[in-house]
Amino acid sequence: MATLDILLNHSHYYDMSLTSIAALAGLAFGFVGTGLGIFNTWRASQKDKVKLKVIPKIYRDLGNTRFSSSRIPTDVNQRWHGLCVEIVNLGFFPVTIDEIGILRTDSDMRMMMARPELSGNESLPKRLEPRTALTAYIPSPAPEAMFQMGLSDAKCFYATTACGVTVQGSSEVSKWLIRLGKRKLPSG
């Protein structure tokens, strides 16, 4: 009889621990499932947003091609022909770029680039497919003056889409040109 009591008590203990383990496992899986649900909802909402990267650069013509760089020029003997802005669509759907330009520091005013040169003799507005880029070239009539004087009243470069989203961007070379322009401002 004592053996039967021990077996019954031991089996009750065994059932309780299995029930506890099953409850804890269910709770853990519930938390994991909730976390994954929240993550997937956030990720789906991110896919519906315009994601552009605006990268100001300088460029120079090299025969039939153009070389651009977002870095500060180190060789003063190299001739740079002007500014360009590369716009990359990092989103999951196409966007149309309507406007490219420079935001001014003193207000919300924009200096729109009237007729930037796009590859293939295209013009704005330009449809930009997902994971593609376009580069808008802005030739300067006096690039040496721009690289000596800088961009005095510029805050950053921007691109605006057809749906009204404006994305700002800067790079090493644009920050350098803006700093250079601020040093050249007349004190008054």
Side-chain angles (χ1 to χ4, degrees), residues 12-91:
H12 178 69
Y13 175 74
Y14 183 71
D15 286 342
M16 286 295 287
S17 83
L18 276 179
T19 305
S20 298
I21 291 172
L24 289 175
L27 184 65
F29 286 126
F31 279 127
V32 169
T34 301
L36 287 173
I38 292 169
F39 174 75
N40 285 333
T41 301
W42 172 81
R43 188 158 183 224
S45 72
Q46 293 299 307
K47 285 185 176 182
D48 291 339
K49 292 185 178 180
V50 173
K51 292 183 188 174
L52 296 176
K53 188 172 186 178
V54 177
I55 310 162
K57 298 180 175 188
I58 55 175
Y59 80 92
R60 68 174 182 236
D61 292 318
L62 299 172
N64 293 336
T65 187
R66 285 185 164 156
F67 171 77
S68 65
S69 174
S70 60
R71 297 181 174 238
I72 299 169
T74 54
D75 185 358
V76 293
N77 295 324
Q78 290 179 341
R79 175 156 164 68
W80 296 94
H81 294 101
L83 296 171
C84 63
V85 180
E86 182 179 16
I87 302 160
V88 183
N89 182 3
L90 300 172

